[in-house]
Amino acid sequence: LSVCSKLCYAIGGAPNQVAGSAAAFFLQIYLLDIAHITPFHASLVLFIGKASGAVTDPIAGFFISKSRWTRIGRLMPWMLACTPFTVVSYFFMWYLPPFVSGRAAWYMTFNCLFQALTTLFQVPYSALTMFLSTDQKDRDSATAYRMTMEVLGTLIGAALQGQIVASAHVSHHCTVNPPGNTTDSWHGTPSIPDPSDFLFHQAKVYMIAAGVIGGVYILGIVILFLGVKEKDDPYALSSDRAIPFWKGLALTVKHGPYVKLTASFLLISTAVQLEQSNFVLFCTQASDLRHHFQYLVITILVSAAVSVPFWQKILQRFGKKRAACGISWMIPFAVMLVTIPNLILAYLVAFVSGLSIAASLLLPWSMLPDVVDNFRLQNPHGKGQETIFYSSYVFFTKISAGIGLGISAAGLEFTGYKPGICRQSDGVILTLKILIGAVPGILIFMGLFILFFYPITEQSRKETKIALEELR
């Protein structure tokens, strides 16, 4: 693979991360403090949105596995077709409608649409790794390029969103008492924000950010289409037939290495999602870091972006399972942040968290092709299972993250979170500390424990590679 091809492939996936990062860091606080929907309804929006994306994964895998080869490939048409609709749904996910009653339903609808459409892009895009090259080193290198660009995309998304919307969360608009307009979003009185209101400014800057990120989507898909050539299944014989979807799914969920890898990283990814979605809330509501949250977010993501090549070298030298231990680095620092909320310590925590997040992003996508190769060696006369592996992996991780985010927002509702006030109750502050410190640490520890039993080693990877080359 040429550097240009790997770079174009990597850039193509960045817009999903740009949008996903903006949503991960800011959607919860937007729903609570700008849209003024209750924490319970916010938890429904977050959970049902993730669940809709998760449900779409096996559906997307089913239809993509049935797709025929076209002049531009089997996976590329899906990515091209869904991008315009993704941009539209993303914009309306950040639009403040001129009514209060039914706002939660509005955000739930467009969040579900956005999550489903990004799935229709992500499943063929991630499976495309298997159709770039037959060489493991090439695929690992392409994955490292992809992860570097996706972390940069995450950085760009958080930086763009953070800088554009920072004025919506400045401290001078806080009031000692909750604002009058905290009406339940399902049963409220219609209201249109006056242009002079601060709420109008908040809504406006969020829509500007959504428009900018929508433009990034268009640029990314153009570069992907022009710079990447999809290849047909390199191992398939002309007599081979695609494994039926449901049979392939049954074989997939029974495949030992895949089950262990998925179980491990669905716990780890849930921990990372909890950190992302509650970090801004923690900075603005549970510590004196209100004026630094956007810079702390950027520190996390810069650290993650620059450390991806470092992690690529580590996993090449010491193996992928050993490299996974780096994910645990964030645990002691996160605990220190919630117990000693010091500004210097906060930046140190942000830097170390970025290192751990980079490892958690790179490793599963680097290890999944090894699992697919292992499965292909055991099932040599079937083809088309790649999209099943990738779609079901994303399904499980999204369901897990959705449950985690839903419980997190519901916990804030239970402890009495109130939008628009400078000082939350002690119960809310304690909940945020637990969601930032204790819960992610437990989930990461459990995930790494499961990964200890993952059977694919560096030696077995080499043996699989030789066997597949003989088969080819």
Side-chain angles (χ1 to χ4, degrees):
L1 279 177
S2 68
V3 172
C4 180
S5 292
K6 288 186 278 192
L7 196 56
C8 290
Y9 170 67
I11 291 172
N16 251 3
Q17 304 307 313
V18 173
S21 170
F25 281 108
F26 292 94
L27 184 56
Q28 181 165 271
I29 197 171
Y30 171 82
L31 294 173
L32 294 172
D33 286 2
I34 284 75
H36 284 174
I37 72 173
T38 67
F40 173 72
H41 291 137
S43 72
L44 289 180
V45 172
L46 295 171
F47 170 70
I48 295 176
K50 285 287 185 183
S52 68
V55 169
T56 309
D57 282 301
I59 297 172
F62 174 78
F63 285 108
I64 293 168
S65 67
K66 299 288 185 183
S67 300
R68 295 184 177 181
W69 183 264
T70 68
R71 195 161 49 87
I72 59 172
R74 185 163 61 93
L75 304 174
M76 190 68 74
W78 286 88
M79 294 181 273
L80 289 172
C82 70
T83 298
F85 300 101
T86 305
V87 172
V88 173
S89 64
Y90 181 79
F91 179 81
F92 282 110
M93 191 172 76
W94 300 96
Y95 173 72
L96 188 68
F99 50 81
V100 176
S101 180
R103 265 186 197 170
W106 171 279
Y107 292 114
M108 191 177 297
T109 300
F110 284 103
N111 190 26
C112 287
L113 277 173
F114 173 70
Q115 296 291 345
L117 288 164
T118 53
T119 294
L120 289 176
F121 179 93
Q122 191 66 27
V123 169
Y125 174 76
S126 54
L128 186 59
T129 309
M130 301 300 298
F131 301 99
L132 295 175
S133 172
T134 60
D135 185 75
Q136 288 180 351
K137 287 186 178 179
D138 262 351
R139 290 199 310 246
D140 286 348
S141 177
T143 300
Y145 271 80
R146 172 191 160 192
M147 287 301 111
T148 302
M149 289 306 302
E150 287 193 354
V151 175
L152 283 172
T154 304
L155 167 63
I156 291 168
L160 277 175
Q161 189 87 359
Q163 293 302 315
I164 294 173
V165 309
S167 60
H169 300 286
V170 291
S171 59
H172 65 73
H173 77 278
C174 284
T175 57
V176 176
N177 298 313
N181 184 19
T182 56
T183 312
D184 186 306
S185 60
W186 295 92
H187 306 288
T189 305
S191 69
I192 301 175
D194 186 84
S196 62
D197 288 345
F198 187 69
L199 178 62
F200 180 82
H201 168 73
Q202 290 176 306
K204 181 181 177 182
V205 295
Y206 268 95
M207 283 189 287
I208 291 171
V212 171
I213 291 174
V216 174
Y217 258 105
I218 304 298
L219 179 63
I221 192 64
V222 169
I223 292 173
L224 178 69
F225 175 70
L226 296 178
V228 175
K229 181 174 176 58
E230 180 184 344
K231 299 174 183 178
D232 205 357
D233 190 336
Y235 297 119
L237 303 173
S238 58
S239 60
D240 287 346
R241 293 185 178 182
I243 298 175
F245 178 80
W246 297 112
K247 180 182 177 182
L249 185 60
L251 290 171
T252 297
V253 297
K254 292 177 183 176
H255 191 59
Y258 178 74
V259 171
K260 292 179 176 67
L261 179 70
T262 303
S264 171
F265 278 99
L266 69 81
L267 292 170
I268 292 169
S269 66
T270 301
V272 173
Q273 286 273 353
L274 284 172
E275 286 276 351
Q276 285 184 318
S277 64
N278 291 289
F279 187 77
V280 176
L281 274 175
F282 174 81
C283 291
T284 57
Q285 306 292 350
S287 65
D288 296 324
L289 302 172
R290 178 182 296 275
H291 296 289
H292 298 271
F293 74 87
Q294 67 266 41
Y295 306 112
L296 290 167
V297 168
I298 291 172
T299 302
I300 292 172
L301 298 172
V302 168
S303 169
V306 300
S307 63
V308 169
F310 162 77
W311 285 116
Q312 179 67 10
K313 295 290 185 186
I314 291 292
L315 65 87
Q316 285 176 348
R317 180 163 183 176
F318 298 103
K320 298 177 182 180
K321 282 180 66 173
R322 290 181 182 176
C325 295
I327 300 170
S328 65
W329 293 354
M330 75 164 67
I331 298 174
F333 288 93
V335 172
M336 288 169 64
L337 177 64
V338 299
T339 53
I340 317 169
N342 175 277
L343 179 60
I344 296 174
L345 179 62
Y347 277 99
L348 179 61
V349 170
F351 175 77
V352 176
S353 296
L355 298 178
S356 297
I357 288 171
S360 72
L361 290 173
L362 175 63
L363 283 165
W365 296 111
S366 180
M367 297 164 86
L368 200 52
D370 301 335
V371 172
V372 176
D373 279 348
N374 181 273
F375 178 87
R376 189 56 187 272
L377 191 61
Q378 296 180 23
N379 300 270
H381 296 296
K383 62 178 181 178
Q385 80 285 350
E386 293 83 6
T387 53
I388 300 173
F389 271 97
Y390 282 87
S391 62
S392 52
Y393 173 78
V394 179
F395 167 79
F396 289 121
T397 53
K398 280 185 179 178
I399 281 288
S400 174
I403 292 171
L405 294 177
I407 292 173
S408 138
L412 294 175
E413 165 82 7
F414 179 76
T415 51
Y417 180 91
K418 296 191 185 323
I421 62 174
C422 287
R423 175 73 182 177
Q424 297 290 339
S425 68
D426 291 340
V428 171
I429 293 172
L430 177 61
T431 300
L432 286 170
K433 288 182 177 181
I434 291 171
L435 291 172
I436 284 288
V439 177
I442 294 169
L443 292 174
I444 290 171
F445 177 79
M446 291 169 60
L448 292 176
F449 178 76
I450 294 171
L451 194 64
F452 178 77
F453 300 97
Y454 175 71
I456 298 178
T457 62
E458 294 306 301
Q459 181 61 34
S460 67
R461 283 181 71 226
K462 294 175 183 176
E463 292 169 357
T464 301
K465 177 182 176 183
I466 293 169
L468 285 175
E469 285 175 352
E470 291 174 355
L471 175 67
R472 189 181 174 214

